[in-house]
Amino acid sequence: MNDKQNDILSVAESLFETKGFDGTSVRDIAKQAGVNVAMISYYFGSKAQLLETLFTHRLENFKVDQDLIFGNKLSAFETLESLVTSLVTVMNRNAGVYKILSVERGIRMRLVNSDSYAKVKMYNLDLITKAIQKGVDAGVFNKAVSPVLVHATLMGTFMNFQMNRAFLQSVLAIENDEKYNHYIENQLAKHIHLTIKALLTYED
């Protein structure tokens, strides 16, 4: 993919995130990217195909390197903390695509490139399952806790902070986006980690 195609995808991502897919026209994308409409058609075909290309191009960035999480001698607790921090950081640094996916799938059930997205979610779920099993094997995590629910807890909390950014930035008195992103990758990641840790160590 050449520089011009990457520029078009970056512009499209920004516009889809702020205006929505239906609220963004190919002409809007062309104008902001400094190209003509014909060039977008040449490279991507339709607006829907451009969106599909965006997801295909970005989804690989969503994967956490499991060798960094499991390729050492961390304890089960340290592994869980490292995994949660890594997942929140990766998601936050690709938040635009996550927000587009949430809106497109949640409101109209537009399932763009569903196989690729499902594979990324399954990859992350497998990492969570592996981290939990490590703790179960060590006798420190409750084996009755569902990895699916842990994954949902993580995703739901993270997406709440993305979809309610203006409100939460205000009530938390965070003055700019840079500090808000720092808050997500530090305080929020720690909160999610402690919440999941509490679930995994709770005894009925």
Side-chain angles (χ1 to χ4, degrees):
M1 187 167 292
N2 61 40
D3 290 343
K4 185 55 66 176
Q5 288 171 294
N6 281 320
D7 288 344
I8 293 169
L9 287 179
S10 294
V11 169
E13 179 179 347
S14 177
L15 289 173
F16 290 154
E17 180 186 353
T18 56
K19 300 176 64 175
F21 178 81
D22 290 334
T24 301
S25 68
V26 174
R27 191 170 300 279
D28 292 334
I29 298 169
K31 181 179 180 181
Q32 191 160 321
V35 301
N36 57 48
V37 172
M39 180 177 287
I40 294 179
S41 298
Y42 173 75
Y43 282 137
F44 303 104
S46 66
K47 186 173 69 167
Q49 289 172 313
L50 191 158
L51 181 60
E52 186 171 335
T53 302
L54 172 64
F55 287 137
T56 302
H57 191 61
R58 295 282 194 266
L59 283 174
E60 277 302 311
N61 296 335
F62 293 4
K63 289 185 178 179
V64 169
D65 186 350
Q66 62 176 315
D67 290 337
L68 296 178
I69 308 297
F70 298 102
N72 48 47
K73 297 182 179 180
L74 295 178
S75 69
F77 290 110
E78 292 168 332
T79 296
L80 177 67
E81 182 176 10
S82 178
L83 177 58
V84 170
T85 300
S86 297
L87 285 172
V88 171
T89 299
V90 166
M91 290 189 299
N92 193 51
R93 295 181 184 181
N94 293 277
V97 176
Y98 268 104
K99 288 168 73 176
I100 296 167
L101 280 165
S102 178
V103 172
E104 295 306 312
R105 297 183 68 223
I107 295 177
R108 290 188 305 281
M109 298 303 292
R110 189 199 308 274
L111 199 56
V112 180
N113 207 22
S114 58
D115 288 344
S116 295
Y117 187 44
K119 286 178 182 177
V120 171
K121 290 194 295 183
M122 184 56 68
Y123 178 86
N124 290 338
L125 177 58
D126 286 344
L127 292 183
I128 290 172
T129 302
K130 186 176 179 181
I132 292 174
Q133 189 59 51
K134 181 175 181 176
V136 170
D137 292 343
V140 294
F141 289 167
N142 185 342
K143 65 180 180 180
V145 177
S146 166
V148 174
L149 295 182
V150 169
H151 182 259
T153 298
L154 187 154
M155 287 298 301
T157 306
F158 171 78
M159 287 309 301
N160 179 62
F161 264 72
Q162 290 300 332
M163 302 307 288
N164 296 287
R165 176 179 284 260
F167 169 73
L168 290 169
Q169 194 166 321
S170 174
V171 298
L172 291 169
I174 300 174
E175 58 193 46
N176 57 51
D177 286 342
E178 182 179 354
K179 290 184 178 180
Y180 190 75
N181 286 329
H182 184 270
Y183 184 94
I184 288 174
E185 294 178 18
N186 291 273
Q187 287 94 323
L188 181 63
K190 182 177 181 180
H191 169 78
I192 294 173
H193 163 242
L194 292 176
T195 299
I196 293 173
K197 180 181 176 182
L199 289 170
L200 289 170
T201 56
Y202 176 76
E203 295 184 8
D204 292 329

